[in-house]
Amino acid sequence: MSGLGELDRPETPTGPQTPTGPETPTGPETPTGPETPTGPETPTGAGAPGARGAARSEQAPNPAITPAPAPETAADRKPAAPRRGAADPVKALIHRHRELCERAVDPLEIAAGLEAHGITDRTAARFRHRDVFSLAEEMYARVSRDGDAALPAAPAAPRARADWALLTLLPGTLCAATVAALHLTQGRSRLFAAAAGTLAVALALRAALRRGPLSRPDRTVPGRATTWTTWLVAYALLGDGLLDGAVAGGPDGLPTGTADGPWPLTAAPVLALALACAPAAWTAHLFSARARRKLAASRGLEDFAAAVRPLLLGTFALFLGALAALLTVCAAVLDEPAAYAETLTLGALFFLARLLATRGFAYAPAVVLTATATLQAAALAAVFTSRLPGCGFLATPVETLVTTGGAGSVPALACGTAALALLVHATRKLTRASAHAPPEPSR
């Protein structure tokens, strides 16, 4: 029996053991001495761990103190938190400009609206688009999915051209009739004809400016701009005669409505400006139509501005050519000198001011018109104020200018400077895509 006990003593394994069958004892082993227990007794048997396994079991925590965790099941495993992808900047931009996207009927309107809010091609690069037009196309394509409301129906087509074309002919027609009445009447009848004709021309001009390409989006005209526009037209009619008389020590009487009276009346410039209302409307319509086509063909804001700038200058030159032709005819018919400088500069000022106002830029034209009228009034006031004792020096600049270039040089200089300032302003404002977007609906 002692031999069987020796066979049950475990041996230290030297590697992974693969059972190959029952072991054959080779002989009894002599014990070297009593074994000193150093820990919990290792169970004996055929698969018991050796010394290296016992050392690892001594370093492991006591299972009596720390219970072994239960095996994790699929039901107990928490689902991993979904990884949040990168933010969608275009979607955020759509929500920021939701109203613009919902009311737009094509991507060009969105591009114009974005450009009006200060988004340029460089800004569009942050949204991973090469330009504003590409960004607007994506916003227009996604608005039906991201927006809650469907796209509105396309706006109604504009009225036929005959509607506003006839209206733009009324101011010139009524002005010509008024001038003819002034030449055919005398005394009090001439006064009544002048008053009635002025009222009729004013109403016709108001109607022409409320329809067609010369109409403003909100159909309102600032009172200040209307007042100073009336002053500039009145100065073109009577201002030169008053300034000539004031420099000469007069005037000696009230205006008689003729070109040979003590206060001469120059009707040719005013008649030419009234007749020029029709070519102004047609050139403005031409500019709008061509700019809209270039907006559809452009792929960048800079490309659009470069294409519209020569169009604007060409339209401006076309209007001045038409005004010069009308002025030549009117001066020949009325037998008056053709004041080209003051008439063309005044016509250019009115045309640019109205063209800017039709695109929603009404503040700068109102300021420029006010400054121009104030300068002309100051020139007249300086001449009359110089008659006071010790104030003769006030009229020196005006008298020098009148002596050098005539009475028409004062309004020509004032209106020419103002028209040049508005032309520079128009080349900046009217070459934007937002200047040719449909007007926002009034609230």
Side-chain angles (χ1 to χ4, degrees):
M1 296 297 292
S2 61
L4 294 177
E6 293 291 337
L7 291 175
D8 291 336
R9 181 173 299 172
E11 294 181 356
T12 302
T14 59
Q17 305 209 357
T18 305
T20 59
E23 294 185 0
T24 305
T26 59
E29 292 184 6
T30 305
T32 58
E35 295 182 3
T36 305
T38 58
E41 192 173 73
T42 304
T44 61
R52 193 174 299 174
R56 283 198 298 266
S57 64
E58 287 178 3
Q59 296 175 2
N62 193 344
I65 300 175
T66 305
E72 187 177 6
T73 62
D76 298 335
R77 187 176 298 128
K78 294 182 179 180
R83 254 183 103 181
R84 178 174 297 181
D88 187 356
V90 178
K91 184 174 182 179
L93 191 64
I94 290 175
H95 285 291
R96 191 183 312 164
H97 302 283
R98 177 180 296 274
E99 183 179 355
L100 172 65
C101 295
E102 289 180 350
R103 67 178 177 82
V105 295
D106 55 31
L108 297 178
E109 295 185 19
I110 299 179
L114 293 178
E115 194 262 353
H117 286 86
I119 297 179
T120 61
D121 291 341
R122 182 176 300 179
T123 310
R126 298 205 302 263
F127 296 94
R128 300 178 181 179
H129 284 273
R130 63 183 180 274
D131 50 46
V132 176
F133 290 88
S134 175
L135 176 61
E137 287 177 353
E138 180 180 349
M139 294 176 65
Y140 179 76
R142 294 177 55 182
V143 70
S144 59
R145 295 191 297 270
D146 292 341
D148 297 332
L151 287 173
R159 290 189 176 185
R161 294 180 179 178
D163 180 22
W164 52 264
L166 293 176
L167 287 177
T168 56
L169 293 174
L170 280 180
T173 303
L174 294 177
C175 186
T178 303
V179 172
L182 290 178
H183 283 77
L184 296 176
T185 55
Q186 298 289 336
R188 185 172 296 180
S189 299
R190 177 178 292 172
L191 180 62
F192 288 154
T198 302
L199 180 61
V201 172
L203 293 177
L205 185 61
R206 179 181 176 85
L209 296 181
R210 292 177 65 88
R211 295 289 187 276
L214 295 180
S215 61
R216 289 190 55 185
D218 51 1
R219 295 189 178 182
T220 60
V221 179
R224 182 176 59 174
T226 303
T227 301
W228 294 119
T229 300
T230 304
W231 164 266
L232 292 174
V233 174
Y235 190 96
L237 186 66
L238 300 169
D240 289 349
L242 177 60
L243 185 59
D244 267 332
V247 171
D252 298 329
L254 296 176
T256 60
T258 60
D260 54 354
W263 189 347
L265 180 144
T266 54
V270 177
L271 178 58
L273 289 173
L275 292 173
C277 185
W282 281 103
T283 51
H285 173 74
L286 178 64
F287 173 69
S288 299
R290 293 296 179 87
R292 187 70 176 178
R293 292 178 185 175
K294 292 186 179 297
L295 182 62
S298 298
R299 299 306 308 166
L301 298 178
E302 295 181 359
D303 295 341
F304 175 74
V308 173
R309 191 173 292 111
L311 175 62
L312 173 63
L313 297 178
T315 302
F316 178 66
L318 182 61
F319 169 76
L320 289 183
L323 178 59
L326 290 173
L327 180 60
T328 302
V329 174
C330 293
V333 171
L334 298 178
D335 195 16
E336 294 182 3
Y340 287 106
E342 57 181 309
T343 307
L344 291 180
T345 53
L346 181 59
L349 177 61
F350 284 160
F351 179 73
L352 291 172
R354 195 62 195 179
L355 200 60
L356 284 166
T358 58
R359 299 298 184 275
F361 306 105
Y363 178 75
V367 172
V368 171
L369 289 173
T370 302
T372 306
T374 302
L375 184 60
Q376 293 182 357
L380 287 173
V383 175
F384 286 106
T385 307
S386 64
R387 298 177 182 179
L388 299 175
C391 297
F393 67 94
L394 294 176
T396 302
V398 180
E399 290 177 353
T400 303
L401 194 59
V402 171
T403 304
T404 303
S409 59
V410 174
L413 180 61
C415 295
T417 305
L420 182 60
L422 276 188
L423 181 60
V424 174
H425 185 68
T427 55
R428 294 177 57 251
K429 296 295 185 180
L430 298 183
T431 55
R432 295 180 177 180
S434 57
H436 306 278
E440 295 185 2
S442 57
R443 298 181 180 179

